[in-house]
Amino acid sequence: MRILGIETSCDETGLAVFDGQSGLLAHNTYSQEIHQKYGGVVPELASRDHIRKLIPLVEECLAASNSSPEDIDGIAYTHGPGLIGALLAGASVARSLAYAWDVPAIGVHHMEGHLLAPMLDPNPPSYPFLALLVSGGHTMLVEVKGLGDYRRLGESVDDAAGEAFDKVAKMLGLGYPGGPALAKLALKGTPGRFTFPRPMTNQPGLDFSFSGLKTFALNTINGLELTDQDKADVSYAFEEAAIDTLLIKCQRALKACNLNRLVVAGGVSANLRLREQLQLMSQKQGLEVFFPPMAFCTDNGAMIAYTGYQYLAQGMKDNLDIQAKARLPFA
Ligand code: KG4
Ligand code: ZN
């Protein structure tokens, strides 16, 4: 069974073809640059850019996977959560192509796509595992017993981790999206110059809060001249505190669920400090740690094609409605 996957929940147009036998055949992602000058995603511009790019990218992806429309057995698309106009662009194209090609279509939850992205690695995790989902919109700990068997253990009560990275990066004038830029600058930071708090780690529970950490960064920045070294030092302290906080909660959740296997996914799973610290934890504690391949940490079509395949292969499919929901609960 060969599935075309379409992701358009925010500012990335992601396409992929996944084959049940041969695996991932092709994928391409177009990252919209139009938002950079506004310092954040402008929803209406995102929808328009998706509309412009979707059909050419579908054609490109089919060609790259050596597939013609007759080879496609189903279409998977992100049906939420996300920007409603952006979701509708992808959902309309997906649903229409499925109708024209007379194949089933299925809506995929964006966070389930992220959750299963590590399955695209040559060395995928087996069930059960603990998942830390860290993106620009979500920060969540989920106990995963099998496909579709998810229990949410905790989540951010305010900003998502990626959102906090982006907002602190913006305070430092690092552009948008600033998370990767902040992480890069942190490499030049001076360890120990600033110590930022690890929010909600002194109390029990598995929820997160990143808004206070962001305010702490702002107050620190306001007291500085903000030389290049100051920027690097603030980046270092912020990243260190944010990653530490994630790790403390992971340890706690692993213990609570009696699990020894951790999967980290979502945009922030591309963060090198997070990956290094987890490798260290894995060496010290014999913990098994899994990440998506780098290309599938941030939004992409491959995770949607893979997830859709899992359900379509079981005979599941949606009706002919175009499904798109800005808010869609998960687990
Ligand atoms: O999963 P994703 O592409 O989109 C959402 O579903 O939100 O995640 C994007 C987020 C952004 O906030 C971005 O700054 C963050 O992931 N991100 C990073 C890194 N790469 C991407 N944050 C920290 N370090 C990185 N290397
Ligand atoms: Zn995402």
Side-chain angles (χ1 to χ4, degrees), residues 7 9 110-111 114 135-136 266-267 297-299 303:
E7 154 64 34
S9 65
H110 182 74
M111 294 316 290
H114 276 304
S135 69
C297 289
T298 46
D299 293 348
M303 66 186 195

